[in-house]
Amino acid sequence: MGTLFLKIASLYFLLGVGMGVGMEIAGDHRLMGAHAHINLVGWVSLALSGLVYVLFPKAGETLLAKLHFWLYNISLPLFMLGLVYLLLGNDSLMILLQIFPNILVLSVLLFVINIFKNVKAEDINKYLGRG
Ligand code: HEM
């Protein structure tokens, strides 16, 4: 799943920097919180997870990795939608902020379990040709 994580992360990167430029052009920084989350949760964290899964393919092919991927990528856009509404002063999508950040955290918990169960020092040694 590593490459899929990287591809989706690159889309978040484009969206994040696009939003940054958009805020500059509009001279309106109200969406700064969403911009920062899209760049750091959408681009940086997702790409780092993808790199871990590329480096440790055993971890990258588990059910935990698939659940991590889907829960993360369903919850993050809905979380961001709720956040954008809130930052623009509209709390009608508050329900999204009550549900989806929790699903996102759950997906991160699955990532942590996956790393602890399936990332082994001997795999990286093999990968680096150190026996
Ligand atoms: C073309 C690229 C980018 C542009 C034009 C841009 C633009 C902006 C703007 C206008 C703000 C609001 C600043 C303020 O009102 O104080 C901001 C805040 C922020 N940006 Fe970006 N940004 C870019 C890329 C990134 C990237 C790549 C990241 C992270 C990986 C990032 C993370 C943040 C964070 C964390 C904040 C909040 C800073 C704070 O709390 O003071 N930005 N950005």
Side-chain angles (χ1 to χ4, degrees), residues 13 16-24 28-30 32-33 35-37 39-40 43-44:
F13 193 20
V17 294
M19 226 169 152
V21 173
M23 287 192 298
E24 287 293 8
D28 178 349
H29 293 184
R30 277 181 300 166
M32 175 173 80
H35 158 80
H37 277 82
N39 273 319
L40 294 169
W43 159 234
V44 180

Side-chain angles (χ1 to χ4, degrees), residues 51-112:
L51 287 178
V52 169
Y53 287 146
V54 167
L55 217 51
F56 298 93
K58 217 190 291 170
E61 295 311 320
T62 59
L63 176 64
L64 283 168
K66 289 182 179 74
L67 285 171
H68 170 207
F69 178 83
W70 285 108
L71 293 179
Y72 201 100
N73 286 302
I74 289 169
S75 58
L76 182 57
L78 292 166
F79 172 14
M80 288 305 102
L81 183 64
L83 185 58
V84 163
Y85 264 60
L86 187 69
L87 294 172
L88 294 177
N90 181 337
D91 64 3
S92 63
L93 292 184
M94 208 52 200
I95 184 82
L96 297 180
L97 292 177
Q98 284 157 356
I99 298 172
F100 290 103
N102 300 304
I103 310 277
L104 184 75
V105 172
L106 175 65
S107 80
V108 172
L109 178 65
L110 299 179
F111 173 66
V112 172

Side-chain angles (χ1 to χ4, degrees), residues 107-123:
S107 80
V108 172
L109 178 65
L110 299 179
F111 173 66
V112 172
I113 295 171
N114 196 13
I115 296 303
F116 272 78
K117 279 182 69 171
N118 297 306
V119 168
K120 305 265 186 288
E122 54 265 28
D123 294 337

